Amino acid sequence: MNIIDNYMQRAITIAQNGIGFVNPNPLVGAVIVKNNKIIGEGWHERYGGLHAERNALKNCIENPKDSELYVTLEPCCHQGKNPPCTDAIIEAGIKKVYIGSNDPNPLVAGKGIAQLRRAGIEVIQNICKQECDKLNKIFFHYITTRTPYCMIKIAMTADGKTATRAGFSKWITGEKSRYHVHETRKQFAGIMCGIGTVLADDPTLTCRIENPSNPVRIICDSNLQIPLDCKLVHTAKDVPTYVASCHIDKYKAEKLEKSGVHILEVPSEDGHVKLRSLMRKLGALEIDSVLLEGGAALHESALRAGIVQHIQVYIAPKIFGGISAKSAVGGVGVFEVEEAYKLSMPEIHQYGSDVLLDYDILEE
């Protein structure tokens, strides 16, 4: 790896400190180098806070004039919650900027690079581009579609079961896998499950790790069956909680709202919440990403609706067996093999004795 890539890799590493705190903004890291020495670095720390470039300039230990900037994403050139980063770069006298990813945001989209070049700054693009693009797959999807990036999380046995025939599922995977699930929850702005999971498990759907960032909780509940005494309702004033329904009992809705629950009225499709409409509503609320954690019926509906971009499958070295034991994806399922949902080659990881397979959904 050459020295240029090394500096960009450092920018990528520090950008990840913003995970869970900057949505719906991108993760960005910046490193300022002068005379082959890092003199300043920073990342986008929190939504509404300084961008990475301005943090890096603020943290400089010497004058950045005639230095080089390594930044994982094209600098912004528009006024948002902060002034344009391109202005700060130009004013600081930086002579060269290395960029990882181009910004697809229509407000930027090449305009930041053009402004830097007009100011006489040399700009080198596509440094560690694949890694920088991967850093912001959520942001890139959201900013171009205005709907959340959606991922299904599955934990199953080697024979594809998500519970025993009696319905027991704790715990299929080991402790290291379960910790990684909470790390993943932190990356997402929202976490969603179906009412069946709420009735069966009474979950809290929170992020239980050090320095947590709880995602917004979203329940697909077509007939507003959610119990008033469940954990989600009891904690709705502490963790934002949305219930999406298409058949709303106004009396119950008022009680839920008094408990802090937000009701989203969504059109129905075959008697259930229309997921594409729900995704548009969530996008309008600036919820840029949603982690689906069951159940099987919701997984199948999400796949059929075409709202899923990624799937994580944890496989535990166990076999449950049983024709009536639950599997990860319910519904009617496909009829012909050719109708199967196509997945990419997986990235393979290991957590304890469990294996994690990371798949992208391939577009038809």
Side-chain angles (χ1 to χ4, degrees):
M1 186 180 294
N2 61 44
I3 191 68
I4 292 173
D5 287 355
N6 278 337
Y7 288 135
M8 188 61 79
Q9 287 295 335
R10 174 61 186 167
I12 291 168
T13 297
I14 62 176
Q16 294 175 72
N17 291 324
I19 288 174
F21 302 107
V22 302
N23 306 68
N25 279 356
L27 296 165
V28 185
V31 172
I32 299 172
V33 177
K34 188 172 184 178
N35 298 324
N36 300 315
K37 181 180 73 173
I38 294 177
I39 64 167
E41 61 182 31
W43 62 91
H44 185 29
E45 297 175 3
R46 192 168 291 273
Y47 179 67
L50 289 179
H51 290 183
E53 299 94 325
R54 288 183 177 270
N55 271 328
L57 288 166
K58 181 185 72 172
N59 295 333
C60 277
I61 58 175
E62 60 180 86
N63 191 331
K65 183 175 170 54
D66 293 326
S67 63
E68 298 178 342
L69 169 67
Y70 294 78
V71 62
T72 56
L73 184 68
E74 177 181 0
C76 68
C77 54
H78 65 288
Q79 177 71 45
K81 293 184 179 296
N82 287 280
C85 289
T86 48
D87 289 354
I89 294 166
I90 294 166
E91 289 164 9
I94 288 172
K95 68 178 182 180
K96 184 181 287 190
V97 177
Y98 294 91
I99 294 172
S101 299
N102 288 356
D103 191 340
N105 184 346
L107 296 174
V108 185
K111 300 182 185 74
I113 292 169
Q115 185 177 344
L116 294 175
R117 285 178 171 155
R118 283 196 302 271
I121 297 172
E122 184 180 356
V123 179
I124 311 297
Q125 297 172 250
N126 300 327
I127 306 300
C128 302
K129 176 176 169 56
Q130 186 174 355
E131 295 96 320
C132 290
D133 286 354
K134 185 176 180 181
L135 186 67
N136 278 308
K137 59 185 179 181
I138 285 175
F139 172 74
F140 290 166
H141 175 84
Y142 175 71
I143 203 67
T144 54
T145 67
R146 289 297 172 181
T147 59
Y149 180 92
C150 190
M151 184 178 91
I152 290 175
K153 188 275 292 183
I154 294 167
M156 67 183 193
T157 60
D159 60 334
K161 304 299 183 180
T162 58
T164 69
R165 61 185 174 87
F168 298 116
S169 59
K170 294 184 179 179
W171 294 104
I172 290 174
T173 54
E175 188 174 335
K176 289 183 178 179
S177 290
R178 298 199 299 274
Y179 185 85
H180 184 256
V181 167
H182 287 278
E183 290 184 317
T184 302
R185 285 181 178 181
K186 186 176 177 179
Q187 298 175 37
F188 283 75
I191 182 169
M192 181 188 292
C193 73
I195 185 60
T197 298
V198 176
L199 296 174
D201 300 336
D202 193 17
T204 56
L205 301 179
T206 53
C207 177
R208 298 186 292 279
I209 57 174
E210 188 178 347
N211 193 26
S213 174
N214 283 320
V216 167
R217 303 177 302 193
I218 306 141
I219 311 304
C220 283
D221 183 7
S222 301
N223 298 302
L224 210 58
Q225 296 175 273
I226 188 168
L228 294 171
D229 61 350
C230 72
K231 292 174 184 174
L232 292 169
V233 174
H234 279 172
T235 57
K237 289 182 178 176
D238 300 316
V239 182
T241 303
Y242 291 83
V243 174
S245 183
C246 46
H247 304 291
I248 294 178
D249 177 327
K250 291 186 178 179
Y251 175 75
K252 186 170 184 180
E254 286 176 4
K255 289 195 166 235
L256 288 168
E257 287 169 343
K258 284 180 181 178
S259 298
V261 174
H262 304 281
I263 305 296
L264 291 177
E265 187 167 3
V266 182
S268 68
E269 187 171 51
D270 299 325
H272 300 288
V273 166
K274 189 173 183 178
L275 292 177
R276 281 188 172 272
S277 296
L278 175 57
M279 291 299 116
R280 288 193 291 271
K281 281 182 177 283
L282 296 177
L285 292 168
E286 296 193 328
I287 297 171
D288 68 355
S289 49
V290 173
L291 175 62
L292 268 65
E293 290 204 11
L298 179 61
H299 290 166
E300 193 272 341
S301 295
L303 288 166
R304 183 159 32 87
I307 66 167
V308 183
Q309 284 71 51
H310 195 82
I311 296 182
Q312 283 190 337
V313 182
Y314 295 84
I315 302 176
K318 300 172 183 174
I319 290 178
F320 285 170
I323 194 169
S324 61
K326 292 182 180 178
S327 61
V329 180
V332 176
V334 302
F335 186 76
E336 297 280 357
V337 171
E338 291 75 16
E339 297 172 0
Y341 304 101
K342 308 299 191 302
L343 309 179
S344 67
M345 287 286 290
E347 288 186 13
I348 303 172
H349 314 271
Q350 188 155 2
Y351 296 95
S353 59
D354 304 324
V355 173
L356 170 62
L357 304 178
D358 262 306
Y359 297 98
D360 287 324
I361 298 282
L362 299 179
E363 295 183 4
E364 295 296 330

PDB file of all heavy atoms in Angstrom, residues 305-323:
ATOM      1  N   ALA A 305     -41.902  -6.932  -1.986  1.00  0.00           N
ATOM      2  CA  ALA A 305     -42.128  -5.520  -2.301  1.00  0.00           C
ATOM      3  C   ALA A 305     -40.912  -4.864  -2.951  1.00  0.00           C
ATOM      4  O   ALA A 305     -41.005  -3.741  -3.453  1.00  0.00           O
ATOM      5  CB  ALA A 305     -42.507  -4.761  -1.035  1.00  0.00           C
ATOM      6  N   GLY A 306     -39.773  -5.552  -2.913  1.00  0.00           N
ATOM      7  CA  GLY A 306     -38.566  -5.017  -3.537  1.00  0.00           C
ATOM      8  C   GLY A 306     -37.923  -3.878  -2.772  1.00  0.00           C
ATOM      9  O   GLY A 306     -37.255  -3.024  -3.369  1.00  0.00           O
ATOM     10  N   ILE A 307     -38.084  -3.863  -1.440  1.00  0.00           N
ATOM     11  CA  ILE A 307     -37.522  -2.756  -0.650  1.00  0.00           C
ATOM     12  C   ILE A 307     -36.192  -3.114   0.002  1.00  0.00           C
ATOM     13  O   ILE A 307     -35.577  -2.265   0.652  1.00  0.00           O
ATOM     14  CB  ILE A 307     -38.513  -2.294   0.444  1.00  0.00           C
ATOM     15  CG1 ILE A 307     -38.726  -3.405   1.486  1.00  0.00           C
ATOM     16  CG2 ILE A 307     -39.833  -1.845  -0.170  1.00  0.00           C
ATOM     17  CD1 ILE A 307     -39.432  -2.945   2.739  1.00  0.00           C
ATOM     18  N   VAL A 308     -35.715  -4.361  -0.180  1.00  0.00           N
ATOM     19  CA  VAL A 308     -34.523  -4.837   0.532  1.00  0.00           C
ATOM     20  C   VAL A 308     -33.281  -4.705  -0.346  1.00  0.00           C
ATOM     21  O   VAL A 308     -33.298  -5.102  -1.513  1.00  0.00           O
ATOM     22  CB  VAL A 308     -34.695  -6.304   0.975  1.00  0.00           C
ATOM     23  CG1 VAL A 308     -33.478  -6.777   1.775  1.00  0.00           C
ATOM     24  CG2 VAL A 308     -35.967  -6.470   1.800  1.00  0.00           C
ATOM     25  N   GLN A 309     -32.208  -4.161   0.231  1.00  0.00           N
ATOM     26  CA  GLN A 309     -30.936  -4.038  -0.488  1.00  0.00           C
ATOM     27  C   GLN A 309     -29.883  -5.033  -0.007  1.00  0.00           C
ATOM     28  O   GLN A 309     -28.953  -5.357  -0.743  1.00  0.00           O
ATOM     29  CB  GLN A 309     -30.358  -2.620  -0.319  1.00  0.00           C
ATOM     30  CG  GLN A 309     -31.047  -1.557  -1.151  1.00  0.00           C
ATOM     31  CD  GLN A 309     -32.436  -1.227  -0.651  1.00  0.00           C
ATOM     32  OE1 GLN A 309     -32.613  -0.949   0.530  1.00  0.00           O
ATOM     33  NE2 GLN A 309     -33.420  -1.261  -1.523  1.00  0.00           N
ATOM     34  N   HIS A 310     -30.005  -5.518   1.221  1.00  0.00           N
ATOM     35  CA  HIS A 310     -28.935  -6.336   1.795  1.00  0.00           C
ATOM     36  C   HIS A 310     -29.524  -7.350   2.776  1.00  0.00           C
ATOM     37  O   HIS A 310     -30.565  -7.097   3.395  1.00  0.00           O
ATOM     38  CB  HIS A 310     -27.934  -5.430   2.526  1.00  0.00           C
ATOM     39  CG  HIS A 310     -26.624  -6.073   2.843  1.00  0.00           C
ATOM     40  ND1 HIS A 310     -25.601  -6.174   1.927  1.00  0.00           N
ATOM     41  CD2 HIS A 310     -26.164  -6.664   3.978  1.00  0.00           C
ATOM     42  CE1 HIS A 310     -24.554  -6.787   2.483  1.00  0.00           C
ATOM     43  NE2 HIS A 310     -24.883  -7.099   3.723  1.00  0.00           N
ATOM     44  N   ILE A 311     -28.850  -8.483   2.902  1.00  0.00           N
ATOM     45  CA  ILE A 311     -29.270  -9.514   3.862  1.00  0.00           C
ATOM     46  C   ILE A 311     -28.049 -10.007   4.634  1.00  0.00           C
ATOM     47  O   ILE A 311     -27.002 -10.286   4.046  1.00  0.00           O
ATOM     48  CB  ILE A 311     -29.945 -10.710   3.160  1.00  0.00           C
ATOM     49  CG1 ILE A 311     -31.251 -10.270   2.485  1.00  0.00           C
ATOM     50  CG2 ILE A 311     -30.231 -11.835   4.147  1.00  0.00           C
ATOM     51  CD1 ILE A 311     -32.009 -11.398   1.816  1.00  0.00           C
ATOM     52  N   GLN A 312     -28.205 -10.102   5.952  1.00  0.00           N
ATOM     53  CA  GLN A 312     -27.194 -10.732   6.798  1.00  0.00           C
ATOM     54  C   GLN A 312     -27.782 -12.024   7.365  1.00  0.00           C
ATOM     55  O   GLN A 312     -28.868 -12.004   7.949  1.00  0.00           O
ATOM     56  CB  GLN A 312     -26.785  -9.820   7.951  1.00  0.00           C
ATOM     57  CG  GLN A 312     -25.858  -8.703   7.565  1.00  0.00           C
ATOM     58  CD  GLN A 312     -25.282  -7.981   8.777  1.00  0.00           C
ATOM     59  OE1 GLN A 312     -25.852  -8.011   9.867  1.00  0.00           O
ATOM     60  NE2 GLN A 312     -24.146  -7.333   8.601  1.00  0.00           N
ATOM     61  N   VAL A 313     -27.041 -13.112   7.190  1.00  0.00           N
ATOM     62  CA  VAL A 313     -27.498 -14.409   7.682  1.00  0.00           C
ATOM     63  C   VAL A 313     -26.448 -14.983   8.640  1.00  0.00           C
ATOM     64  O   VAL A 313     -25.334 -15.293   8.236  1.00  0.00           O
ATOM     65  CB  VAL A 313     -27.737 -15.404   6.526  1.00  0.00           C
ATOM     66  CG1 VAL A 313     -28.269 -16.725   7.080  1.00  0.00           C
ATOM     67  CG2 VAL A 313     -28.707 -14.820   5.503  1.00  0.00           C
ATOM     68  N   TYR A 314     -26.821 -15.079   9.911  1.00  0.00           N
ATOM     69  CA  TYR A 314     -25.972 -15.746  10.902  1.00  0.00           C
ATOM     70  C   TYR A 314     -26.365 -17.222  10.938  1.00  0.00           C
ATOM     71  O   TYR A 314     -27.547 -17.546  11.092  1.00  0.00           O
ATOM     72  CB  TYR A 314     -26.179 -15.158  12.294  1.00  0.00           C
ATOM     73  CG  TYR A 314     -25.757 -13.728  12.451  1.00  0.00           C
ATOM     74  CD1 TYR A 314     -26.617 -12.681  12.098  1.00  0.00           C
ATOM     75  CD2 TYR A 314     -24.500 -13.399  12.960  1.00  0.00           C
ATOM     76  CE1 TYR A 314     -26.245 -11.359  12.253  1.00  0.00           C
ATOM     77  CE2 TYR A 314     -24.125 -12.071  13.135  1.00  0.00           C
ATOM     78  CZ  TYR A 314     -24.992 -11.063  12.770  1.00  0.00           C
ATOM     79  OH  TYR A 314     -24.613  -9.753  12.923  1.00  0.00           O
ATOM     80  N   ILE A 315     -25.394 -18.096  10.804  1.00  0.00           N
ATOM     81  CA  ILE A 315     -25.671 -19.534  10.824  1.00  0.00           C
ATOM     82  C   ILE A 315     -24.957 -20.151  12.026  1.00  0.00           C
ATOM     83  O   ILE A 315     -23.723 -20.078  12.144  1.00  0.00           O
ATOM     84  CB  ILE A 315     -25.211 -20.217   9.529  1.00  0.00           C
ATOM     85  CG1 ILE A 315     -25.903 -19.578   8.322  1.00  0.00           C
ATOM     86  CG2 ILE A 315     -25.520 -21.720   9.577  1.00  0.00           C
ATOM     87  CD1 ILE A 315     -25.438 -20.116   6.993  1.00  0.00           C
ATOM     88  N   ALA A 316     -25.742 -20.761  12.905  1.00  0.00           N
ATOM     89  CA  ALA A 316     -25.192 -21.407  14.098  1.00  0.00           C
ATOM     90  C   ALA A 316     -24.991 -22.890  13.828  1.00  0.00           C
ATOM     91  O   ALA A 316     -25.768 -23.508  13.093  1.00  0.00           O
ATOM     92  CB  ALA A 316     -26.132 -21.215  15.283  1.00  0.00           C
ATOM     93  N   PRO A 317     -23.961 -23.505  14.421  1.00  0.00           N
ATOM     94  CA  PRO A 317     -23.709 -24.935  14.209  1.00  0.00           C
ATOM     95  C   PRO A 317     -24.654 -25.802  15.040  1.00  0.00           C
ATOM     96  O   PRO A 317     -24.247 -26.537  15.943  1.00  0.00           O
ATOM     97  CB  PRO A 317     -22.247 -25.083  14.639  1.00  0.00           C
ATOM     98  CG  PRO A 317     -22.067 -24.050  15.696  1.00  0.00           C
ATOM     99  CD  PRO A 317     -22.932 -22.892  15.285  1.00  0.00           C
ATOM    100  N   LYS A 318     -25.940 -25.705  14.711  1.00  0.00           N
ATOM    101  CA  LYS A 318     -26.985 -26.458  15.412  1.00  0.00           C
ATOM    102  C   LYS A 318     -28.012 -26.921  14.396  1.00  0.00           C
ATOM    103  O   LYS A 318     -28.174 -26.303  13.339  1.00  0.00           O
ATOM    104  CB  LYS A 318     -27.697 -25.570  16.455  1.00  0.00           C
ATOM    105  CG  LYS A 318     -26.794 -25.007  17.529  1.00  0.00           C
ATOM    106  CD  LYS A 318     -27.526 -23.989  18.393  1.00  0.00           C
ATOM    107  CE  LYS A 318     -26.573 -23.386  19.427  1.00  0.00           C
ATOM    108  NZ  LYS A 318     -27.203 -22.304  20.192  1.00  0.00           N
ATOM    109  N   ILE A 319     -28.711 -27.981  14.728  1.00  0.00           N
ATOM    110  CA  ILE A 319     -29.822 -28.466  13.904  1.00  0.00           C
ATOM    111  C   ILE A 319     -31.032 -28.659  14.793  1.00  0.00           C
ATOM    112  O   ILE A 319     -30.956 -29.332  15.824  1.00  0.00           O
ATOM    113  CB  ILE A 319     -29.452 -29.779  13.182  1.00  0.00           C
ATOM    114  CG1 ILE A 319     -28.404 -29.493  12.092  1.00  0.00           C
ATOM    115  CG2 ILE A 319     -30.697 -30.427  12.569  1.00  0.00           C
ATOM    116  CD1 ILE A 319     -27.943 -30.714  11.348  1.00  0.00           C
ATOM    117  N   PHE A 320     -32.169 -28.034  14.402  1.00  0.00           N
ATOM    118  CA  PHE A 320     -33.413 -28.194  15.149  1.00  0.00           C
ATOM    119  C   PHE A 320     -34.294 -29.281  14.542  1.00  0.00           C
ATOM    120  O   PHE A 320     -34.919 -30.058  15.246  1.00  0.00           O
ATOM    121  CB  PHE A 320     -34.207 -26.881  15.162  1.00  0.00           C
ATOM    122  CG  PHE A 320     -33.670 -25.832  16.089  1.00  0.00           C
ATOM    123  CD1 PHE A 320     -34.174 -24.534  16.046  1.00  0.00           C
ATOM    124  CD2 PHE A 320     -32.672 -26.113  17.019  1.00  0.00           C
ATOM    125  CE1 PHE A 320     -33.688 -23.559  16.897  1.00  0.00           C
ATOM    126  CE2 PHE A 320     -32.182 -25.138  17.876  1.00  0.00           C
ATOM    127  CZ  PHE A 320     -32.691 -23.857  17.806  1.00  0.00           C
ATOM    128  N   GLY A 321     -34.359 -29.313  13.193  1.00  0.00           N
ATOM    129  CA  GLY A 321     -35.274 -30.254  12.557  1.00  0.00           C
ATOM    130  C   GLY A 321     -36.725 -29.874  12.817  1.00  0.00           C
ATOM    131  O   GLY A 321     -37.037 -28.881  13.467  1.00  0.00           O
ATOM    132  N   GLY A 322     -37.620 -30.674  12.303  1.00  0.00           N
ATOM    133  CA  GLY A 322     -39.044 -30.460  12.543  1.00  0.00           C
ATOM    134  C   GLY A 322     -39.719 -29.725  11.404  1.00  0.00           C
ATOM    135  O   GLY A 322     -39.341 -28.611  11.079  1.00  0.00           O
ATOM    136  N   ILE A 323     -40.700 -30.370  10.811  1.00  0.00           N
ATOM    137  CA  ILE A 323     -41.390 -29.770   9.669  1.00  0.00           C
ATOM    138  C   ILE A 323     -42.160 -28.524  10.073  1.00  0.00           C
ATOM    139  O   ILE A 323     -42.393 -27.623   9.262  1.00  0.00           O
ATOM    140  CB  ILE A 323     -42.316 -30.813   9.005  1.00  0.00           C
ATOM    141  CG1 ILE A 323     -42.755 -30.315   7.632  1.00  0.00           C
ATOM    142  CG2 ILE A 323     -43.520 -31.145   9.891  1.00  0.00           C
ATOM    143  CD1 ILE A 323     -43.439 -31.367   6.804  1.00  0.00           C
TER     144      ILE A 323
END
